[in-house]
Amino acid sequence: MKKRTILFLLCVAPITCTPEMSAQNVIPHPQRMTVKEGKLDISSYLSFKTNLTGKELGDMVEYIKDTPLRIDYSAEEGLNKCLTMEIDKENELGDEGYILKVGASGINIYAQTSAGLFYGLQSVLQLAEEDNYNSIKYVEIFDKPRFEYRGLHLDESRHFSSTEFVKKQLDALARYKMNRFHWHLTDGAGWRIEIKKYPRLTNFAAWRPYETWKEWWNANRHYCNQDDADAHGGYYTQEEIREIIDYAAKRHITIIPEIEMPGHSEEVLAAYPLLSCSNDMYKNSDFCIGKEATFAFIEDVLDEVIDLFPSHYIHIGGDEAAKSGWKTCPDCMKRMKEEGLKDVDELQSYMIHRVEQYVNSKGRDIIGWDEILEGGLAPNATVMSWRGEQGGITAAKSGHKVVMTPGDFCYLDSYQSDPSSEPEAIGGYLTIEKVYSYNPVSAALNDEQAEMIIGVQGNVWREYMPTLEHTEYMIYPRILAIAEVGWTMPENKNWNNFRERVNNEIPRLIREGYNPYTLSADIETPMRIDYNKKEIKVALECERTGINIHYTTDGTEPNTNSPIYEDSLTVKGTMHLSARAFSEGKPVGKVLRKDIDFHKAIGKKITLKTKYSPNYPASGEYTLIDGYHGGKGYNDGKWLGFLNTDVDAVIDLGEKTRISRISTLGMQAKGPYVWLPQYIKIQTSNDGKKFKDLDTLTHDIPTDREGVVFHDFVWEGKTTARFIRIYAKIVDIEGGWIFLDEIVVK
Ligand code: ACM
Ligand code: ZN
């Protein structure tokens, strides 16, 4: 299970808007695109002209033949309009860039490589769709990617897919100019790649007596034999893998295999228990690093993997090793003594160094999750930064290459919309807008260090994706945002423009047989607070386009006669806002009902007697009385996080004040150990010294409740006071968070 116990706050870089951007439906957005007057008729055949030769020519023709473009390959000189694909070494396009010119004479693509020509072709295909491949607007594009690595990661262990499914995803990646597929082929829930030397990996460790990961996880987490009647799972044969690699290569996608070590290896150790510290099945999750047999096994497996996969990188995992068995294992202790390793972190690092040397000796490099930094990073390793960005920043500063995949922006297993109306996910909350906002180059890096950031990747962990349909639902459309983050320069990105293009793309994904999330029709209410004017500006926003937002401010339900939202609303005091999206006169999405208050504590003084966590500081203690409410995820910068402590806050209203309501919202998400307070005690005082109890607010939500739950702790009555003390008691569970967003005083 991905533990997600380490939670980082990441700052969202502001998006620069380029107002003149065209919403021409190309994803990712090209760096420079000029749409011109006129269009080229492509309803009849174009001839084909190219200086590609050999396999590159064969692959390109084979690919184009599968598209709706009408090309006559035999009519080079015969037809007056032409598709030209020309390798031109003279230009500034790098390994993947292209120039596309569509004019009266035809479609001309220039690039230094066949990959560049292929990406030019992808832009042609997207542009031609607008008129069902009958015409294409005259256009000039100069385009090349921001990053060399633009990836999707797919977990095959928790739930296994199929050759056909993988090829379908590769088709989509190619369309969005993505070029890496990180294939997570081994993990505790099942081994998924045929290794000829170790048949028990695939006739035993690839099978379990439960269909879904969740059933298996909640039962005994045992494996079974392939030929057992109730065996579920599977693996890719080497022949299938070769076929998939070839399919990907024709789409200019490199497949990077991941073989997990030393942790997440329960399945290997069940099949080959002698590779564990205990020599027993179902006891350890980590390989024993003391035994030479472990290295013999890993080298044998890597031999077959390297033989199959031509990728420069071999991913060796490295994440979340428990490291516990090593502390008492005689073999591991002996290894540590002999090698002068002072702790288990260094023992892990010993293993990664040794495996790196082996992989390097075969002419390849390793890439691993950011835990491979612990105990010292192997000299040529590339780091995949998932526990926030810090690992990546540290690696880049020490001259290592980095792929950024921080959980808060790149984990496509998080909820993408209101968890209460979404199928169960692992936790977290990551809207497509937030994915889109990501900038893989942290401000903490100077220009030279920034060069070490080679790209970005969306990660799909499938604990809670039991079906292929559901897997696609989580991938699309968020992967389109990853594609644009990876390709398009920040100054050419624009959320509203992207939102338009993604909305246009969704029907096409559906037509092509994908199962995307169709974006939320619910209303979000970003606010701006003016403390001097004592007013709040509220915007009403929606992921969907092509809708009208109608709203009311008197508590009644909005309908098509209610005002249409155009510009931000101004709130002084309290507004009882209701809003809903309507499409063609019919309501879509949920009704938003929200009281927006410039309440009595905003802008007053607050003192915290307990400390908030530096990982979730939001904007400090004033977060609790700044008027801004948190959203559905604790990591949006509006929730103040307290780790392993009660919350004790005193608000000074400045003068004796009449109070009729005090409330604060709490959140619970069991996965990442975020708990509602056991209770919240409210006290008041007039001198700030002697407090008297006003009320103690409790709730009845159990800590084992699945998913994300919110609870509003509310006191209502009549009192007067200058000081209010809020005391939130943490649950009696080892370790955990309390998140509060605002203490509302009316
Ligand atoms: C990871 O999510 N454990 C890399
Ligand atoms: Zn051991």
Side-chain angles (χ1 to χ4, degrees), residues 2 4 264 319-320 369 371 386 411 461:
K2 304 286 127 181
R4 309 287 164 74
H264 283 285
D319 60 317
E320 297 185 311
W369 301 109
E371 287 92 330
W386 73 280
Y411 268 49
W461 299 102

Side-chain angles (χ1 to χ4, degrees), residues 501-539:
R501 284 178 285 129
V502 168
N503 270 273
N504 292 339
E505 186 73 2
I506 283 172
R508 190 236 166 228
L509 279 165
I510 294 170
R511 268 199 316 279
E512 294 289 315
Y514 294 86
N515 181 42
Y517 171 62
T518 54
L519 296 176
S520 175
D522 295 347
I523 311 295
E524 297 290 333
T525 51
M527 297 193 284
R528 204 153 34 82
I529 298 185
D530 188 325
Y531 297 101
N532 292 328
K533 289 192 188 156
K534 293 194 176 1
E535 66 178 36
I536 303 177
K537 295 265 189 218
V538 187

